[in-house]
Amino acid sequence: MPVSGLPPYDENNIFARILRGEIPCKKVYEDAFALAFLDIAPQAPTHVLVIPKGPYCSFADFSAFASDADIAGFMRAVGKIAKDLGLEAPGYRLLANMGEHSGQEVPHFHVHLFAGRPLGRMIPG
Ligand code: AMP
């Protein structure tokens, strides 16, 4: 269910394969709405990826087409993960890339959760 002008969901993207258990991940949390695992190339001492269980290419798809329950469940999961990992003090950053200019590499909506050091400017460069 892609947003108009964007490619359809690729059932074989790497995060879809992780969701199906075809590729391992270092899982930190799972519930009915979300799976969270460590990023394979961490850019901060804590770098967790949180993905919804449904087939959404990006934030554009997820925000347009996911049910209210799925959006609420996903966002609550992100908050719970950050809290349970003890990141609320001294803080963390959420980031979601969407589309070409953002540098989105994996076409399954995901939120990056960064923490563990001062994170600097919001948009480097
Ligand atoms: P983005 O550029 O927002 O699409 O981010 C994709 C992220 O997925 C990058 O930070 C990658 O390091 C990460 N990544 C790619 N493959 C894997 C994998 N198999 N397990 C964990 N993280 C991955």
Side-chain angles (χ1 to χ4, degrees):
M1 54 180 86
V3 166
S4 175
L6 296 177
Y9 184 76
D10 171 10
E11 295 286 350
N12 286 317
N13 78 75
I14 191 111
F15 293 171
R17 299 185 68 198
I18 286 174
L19 275 173
R20 291 196 297 267
E22 296 169 6
I23 291 177
C25 70
K26 292 189 175 167
K27 182 162 75 176
V28 298
Y29 180 81
E30 183 169 18
D31 66 15
F33 302 101
L35 173 69
F37 51 92
L38 300 183
D39 196 291
I40 204 167
Q43 295 183 48
T46 298
H47 185 172
V48 172
L49 299 171
V50 192
I51 68 175
K53 296 219 161 159
Y56 303 102
C57 302
S58 68
F59 179 72
D61 274 334
F62 185 69
S63 60
F65 299 120
S67 69
D68 290 358
D70 283 352
I71 291 171
F74 179 78
M75 294 308 291
R76 288 198 194 283
V78 174
K80 177 174 169 46
I81 292 159
K83 182 179 175 63
D84 290 354
L85 291 176
L87 307 181
E88 289 183 343
Y92 58 88
R93 177 171 294 154
L94 291 182
L95 183 150
N97 290 316
M98 190 275 136
E100 185 182 346
H101 271 200
S102 74
Q104 182 180 357
E105 292 173 358
V106 179
H108 181 112
F109 171 51
H110 50 281
V111 170
H112 298 255
L113 184 51
F114 299 109
R117 63 167 169 78
L119 293 166
R121 295 170 59 191
M122 205 154 45
I123 301 180

